[in-house]
Amino acid sequence: LELADEGRRVSWTGAQPGMVYTLVPGRRFERDGQDCRHFTLVRAGNGNSIRRNGSACRIGDGEWRTI
C-alpha cells in the first residue's frame, strides 16, 4: 500500500501451492491525521477466487492496519 501507485497491481504467491494474491491499491485519503488507502485484494487458487475491498491506514514505518 505504501509504495505502489493507485491502480498498479502487486501479486505474490501464497504458502499453499497454487495460491496467488493480487493487491490493487486505490485512492489515498486522510483519517484522524493518518495516511490511508482504499484497496482491493484478490485471492485466487484451487479453481476459485475471492475478492475483497477494504481500507487501511498507515500506523508506523511500513505498517498498515485495516479499518
Side-chain angles (χ1 to χ4, degrees):
L1 287 175
E2 191 164 337
L3 300 176
D5 292 331
E6 184 175 333
R8 182 173 174 239
R9 295 173 184 260
V10 178
S11 297
W12 67 95
T13 55
Q16 292 182 344
M19 197 65 65
V20 177
Y21 295 87
T22 302
L23 176 75
V24 183
R27 70 172 179 83
R28 296 177 185 268
F29 64 98
E30 190 174 297
R31 180 178 185 236
D32 299 329
Q34 294 179 309
D35 294 325
C36 305
R37 287 190 96 162
H38 296 290
F39 65 87
T40 300
L41 178 64
V42 179
R43 183 187 77 181
N46 301 325
N48 38 358
S49 176
I50 298 172
R51 178 187 179 110
R52 297 281 187 250
N53 295 314
S55 300
C57 293
R58 187 173 183 214
I59 60 169
D61 188 26
E63 188 176 351
W64 292 73
R65 180 169 293 147
T66 57
I67 55 172

